[in-house]
Amino acid sequence: ADGAGSAERAGEGAECALHAGMAALEAGLAAGLPTDQEAWETLLTEAFSQARQAVVELAERENQPLRDFSTTLTLALAGPEWLVTGQIGDGVVVAQTETGELFTATEPQHGEYAGETFFLTMENALDLVAGRVYPRGVRALAALTDGLLRLALTLPGNQPHAPFFTPLIAFCAATTDPAA
């Protein structure tokens, strides 16, 4: 989650959305893994719905306008035979296949004007969520906010820039210290 730079309490909105979205995914997976694309999409829809509702409730408790908590949200789940992504906003998820191929699993969403994106706090936010189900496992995932897009992607096609990701993934794979 990445809070909007123009929103006064965006960091709180981002944290709230992320925790609520992850909690919804955990609760949805507690009964077992979805077995088809429709079930995965339902799980994602519920996670984004609960994340948005949590931010709405935060704004109400704090007696502040919802726009003060504006945030993007990207969620990704990976298993041995699937990758599921959902997002609203200008972040990106890049995945590496078992064969080492990099691909953009989500693409940044942009509004009509330069620098404009979509936020979870928008009235029609749930209609703007882009979800995808890939029927294959991945070796690695990287989730990025808009601040790294120009370094990490080859624009305008939004293709992963291998000289950025290859050393990053290799470092993460080689470390035994989770904090590193």
Side-chain angles (χ1 to χ4, degrees):
D2 185 22
S6 61
E8 288 183 32
R9 299 180 69 182
E12 293 170 70
E15 186 174 342
C16 177
L18 182 59
H19 289 295
M22 290 181 63
L25 291 176
E26 286 181 33
L29 293 172
L33 295 177
T35 57
D36 59 30
Q37 182 163 335
E38 184 179 337
W40 280 113
E41 290 169 356
T42 299
L43 178 64
L44 276 177
T45 298
E46 184 61 22
F48 277 89
S49 178
Q50 287 189 30
R52 185 178 192 288
Q53 185 59 36
V55 177
V56 166
E57 290 171 3
L58 173 63
E60 289 172 353
R61 274 193 316 275
E62 297 292 321
N63 198 28
Q64 296 291 315
L66 183 57
R67 69 180 173 277
D68 284 358
F69 299 89
S70 292
T71 185
T72 64
L73 182 63
T74 303
L75 299 171
L77 300 109
E81 298 176 3
W82 45 264
L83 169 63
V84 181
T85 63
Q87 87 170 43
I88 183 166
D90 52 7
V92 68
V93 172
V94 170
Q96 183 183 55
T97 67
E98 291 297 332
T99 61
E101 171 196 4
L102 295 168
F103 70 96
T104 308
T106 66
E107 293 199 15
Q109 296 174 321
H110 299 287
E112 184 177 348
Y113 304 104
E116 181 183 26
T117 191
F118 305 134
F119 296 105
L120 190 62
T121 49
M122 296 172 76
E123 186 79 24
N124 62 337
L126 298 179
D127 295 331
L128 299 171
V129 172
R132 296 187 72 181
V133 179
Y134 297 91
R136 62 180 173 185
V138 294
R139 179 188 303 167
L141 284 177
L144 313 167
T145 63
D146 63 320
L148 286 175
L149 293 184
R150 293 195 184 280
L151 290 172
L153 299 181
T154 302
L155 301 175
N158 293 322
Q159 295 303 309
H161 184 58
F164 178 86
F165 288 102
T166 303
L168 175 66
I169 291 170
F171 169 79
C172 291
T175 187
T176 56
D177 178 12

